[in-house]
Amino acid sequence: MKVLVAVKRVVDYNVKVRVRADETGIDLSGVKMSLNPFDEIAVEEAVRLKEKGLASEIIVVSIGDASCQESLRTALALGADRAIHVETSLETQPLGVAKTLKALVEKESPRLIILGKQAIDDDFNQTGQMLAGLLRWPQGTFISHLIRNGEEIEVTREVDGGLETLKMPLPAVVTTDLRLNEPRYATLPNIMKAKQKSLEVISAETLGVDLTPRLKTLKVVEPPPRKGGLMVANVDELLDKLQHEAKVI
Ligand code: AMP
């Protein structure tokens, strides 16, 4: 079973982002970029399936400018077999990414596609769902457990108020939640080996996909600064302030 994993390069989760002065977006100059954390979990899950003999090949895909290749090399060092970089200078958005992945599915015929539940830069949480819709494949989103039984998979989903277990036939699309696994670190020998693995570069036009953004960002602003806290001497004073100053009770 071939597994396709989609990985996005995003601002590292430890970075405190700054909004550009003209409010058109985030200032990315000199900012540390990393593999989207949910996509690292997706790669790890694919590698674990392969280690159990349940997957034959892991192909990682990233859509974006040349810097995506760094994230693809990271995914190769974590255990993916080969990588495809779909090159574009355009800003990527969920529908365009889903259409690109669909075009690659027609070329590569994977049985399972693993995506992150969301990319932590734009927090769209849409690409996996759109891809499953375009392919008309079953989907398991926000999964925290995955079992393959022959031509079926069983997934546990993290839903409001509990866990939901679904069974679906392959081929299928799944998206990862945080508790699915704990990704391994890339070892130095594996980072070196990753440099020899195949990384194919193709243009979105070759795939016949139009990546022109459909969504327009009107403005991005910082959250309002937090007001300072206040110490109260006792519960009576707290209740008084809540009642008469904040007027919330
Ligand atoms: P989103 O719907 O943008 O929150 O992204 C959900 C998932 O789609 C991510 O975790 C990735 O697995 C995948 N994805 C989104 N954008 C890209 C991209 N430009 N290249 C590859 N995969 C992507």
Side-chain angles (χ1 to χ4, degrees):
M1 169 174 85
K2 267 196 205 178
V3 182
L4 192 78
V5 182
V7 299
K8 187 176 186 191
R9 184 175 162 81
V10 296
V11 173
D12 187 87
Y13 69 95
N14 279 312
V15 171
K16 189 170 179 327
V17 291
R18 276 164 308 161
V19 171
R20 279 200 293 256
D22 60 5
E23 297 187 340
T24 55
I26 300 299
D27 185 0
L28 292 178
S29 49
V31 165
K32 183 176 178 223
M33 306 290 283
S34 300
L35 195 58
N36 182 42
F38 292 106
D39 304 350
E40 247 183 300
I41 296 173
V43 173
E44 176 66 30
E45 197 61 20
V47 174
R48 290 187 189 190
L49 283 169
K50 193 172 175 207
E51 284 170 347
K52 287 187 211 142
L54 297 173
S56 54
E57 190 184 27
I58 303 164
I59 307 160
V60 280
V61 182
S62 195
I63 301 142
D65 65 15
S67 64
C68 288
Q69 293 186 16
E70 210 177 299
S71 304
L72 287 169
R73 288 282 171 215
T74 307
L76 291 170
L78 292 171
D81 295 299
R82 62 186 169 93
I84 301 175
H85 171 210
V86 181
E87 201 168 23
T88 176
S89 55
L90 296 170
E91 176 202 344
T92 61
Q93 294 184 347
L95 186 59
V97 173
K99 285 182 178 171
T100 310
L101 293 172
K102 179 176 183 271
L104 286 174
V105 167
E106 280 152 17
K107 200 164 162 268
E108 296 287 347
S109 313
R111 303 285 292 156
L112 181 66
I113 308 175
I114 315 181
L115 301 94
K117 77 166 177 182
Q118 75 197 72
I120 62 163
D121 49 1
D122 293 318
D123 280 338
F124 277 125
N125 180 350
Q126 294 173 359
T127 310
Q129 295 89 327
M130 286 181 173
L131 176 62
L134 291 173
L135 289 167
R136 297 183 174 273
W137 286 9
Q139 61 180 300
T141 49
F142 321 139
I143 65 163
S144 57
H145 197 60
L146 169 74
I147 304 171
R148 180 181 173 197
N149 288 322
E151 279 308 289
E152 270 179 1
I153 53 169
E154 199 175 286
V155 298
T156 304
R157 305 183 58 231
E158 305 218 338
V159 292
D160 281 350
L163 299 173
E164 180 185 45
T165 304
L166 298 176
K167 194 159 75 170
M168 63 192 75
L170 292 170
V173 175
V174 297
T175 71
T176 62
D177 214 324
L178 266 190
R179 277 158 290 273
L180 181 59
N181 60 49
E182 207 173 301
R184 68 196 66 190
Y185 288 102
T187 60
L188 191 58
N190 285 343
I191 294 173
M192 300 311 287
K193 269 192 232 156
K195 295 190 176 153
Q196 311 304 323
K197 292 186 181 175
S198 152
L199 195 162
E200 186 188 352
V201 183
I202 41 184
S203 69
E205 294 80 53
T206 319
L207 291 172
V209 180
D210 177 12
L211 284 174
T212 312
R214 304 285 188 98
L215 307 169
K216 185 165 183 274
T217 303
L218 298 181
K219 73 173 178 175
V220 177
V221 291
E222 301 264 0
R226 288 183 63 168
K227 293 195 190 106
L230 181 71
M231 292 294 283
V232 288
N234 51 45
V235 174
D236 289 339
E237 192 186 339
L238 173 66
L239 288 175
D240 183 63
K241 286 200 182 299
L242 290 175
Q243 238 166 3
H244 299 113
E245 285 181 27
K247 296 192 173 30
V248 289
I249 54 171

